[in-house]
Amino acid sequence: MRLLSKYGMNFVNGLGTTLLLAFISVAIGCLIGAVVAIMKLSKNKPLNWISTIYIEVIRDTPLLLQLYFFYFLLPDIMPALKLSKFTCIAVALVINSGAYMSEIFRSGIQSIDGGQTATVVMNGKVLNKLATGSQRYITDIFYFATAL
């Protein structure tokens, strides 16, 4: 009981930091993942290659190794940035989360049946005539809503 009263606030502070890092990594990782998933599905070869290399390198290295790299080596490699330790860890978690989220989005988009895609395209054409907007925008919203 003495231990809890002595170190209890350290546990609470650690919990707050952990939840903040989790929120940051998932929120920004989803944005990066969506962009990388679109790059991966594009017919543009350089974009496809860049996204494939990013996904494979990040997903094939252990998270602990990435954390060590960003925590210990990044401040030494780029001392002009003067990043805090929290920022270094947040960057590592965001990059890792982005790679995993991109594969989740990509697989969700690719799992959509061809009939559903045709229906959305036709509905997009109808809605495009009714409002000012693009058919591609409506189709993209459908893909991401279905992937989620």
Side-chain angles (χ1 to χ4, degrees):
M1 196 61 172
R2 245 178 15 157
L3 236 109
L4 189 58
S5 66
K6 185 175 180 181
Y7 297 109
M9 283 310 293
N10 289 341
F11 290 122
V12 172
N13 291 338
L15 177 66
T17 303
T18 301
L19 292 176
L20 181 61
L21 280 171
F23 176 75
I24 290 170
S25 65
V26 170
I28 300 173
C30 282
L31 297 175
I32 291 173
V35 171
V36 173
I38 291 170
M39 288 171 57
K40 178 87 171 162
L41 293 172
S42 75
K43 291 179 175 37
N44 188 344
K45 290 292 182 190
L47 288 179
N48 194 327
W49 291 340
I50 291 169
S51 64
T52 300
I53 290 169
Y54 165 71
I55 291 168
E56 294 303 321
V57 167
I58 297 300
R59 290 185 69 209
D60 290 343
T61 56
L63 177 59
L64 186 59
L65 181 67
Q66 295 169 22
L67 290 171
Y68 281 158
F69 174 79
F70 283 98
Y71 189 80
F72 293 116
L73 291 178
L74 188 65
D76 290 340
I77 293 171
M78 298 181 197
L81 291 179
K82 296 182 183 174
L83 298 174
S84 69
K85 296 180 184 302
F86 180 86
T87 305
C88 291
I89 295 300
V91 167
L93 292 174
V94 163
I95 289 173
N96 187 280
S97 177
Y100 280 95
M101 293 303 284
S102 69
E103 286 297 291
I104 292 169
F105 285 138
R106 183 200 53 80
S107 64
I109 290 169
Q110 287 182 331
S111 71
I112 297 171
D113 187 37
Q116 288 180 335
T117 304
T119 303
V120 168
V121 169
M122 290 308 296
N123 287 338
K125 288 180 181 177
V126 171
L127 289 174
N128 196 19
K129 290 180 181 179
L130 297 175
T132 59
S134 94
Q135 168 192 343
R136 181 72 185 158
Y137 176 72
I138 294 168
T139 306
D140 288 345
I141 289 174
F142 172 75
Y143 281 147
F144 281 110
T146 305
L148 292 175

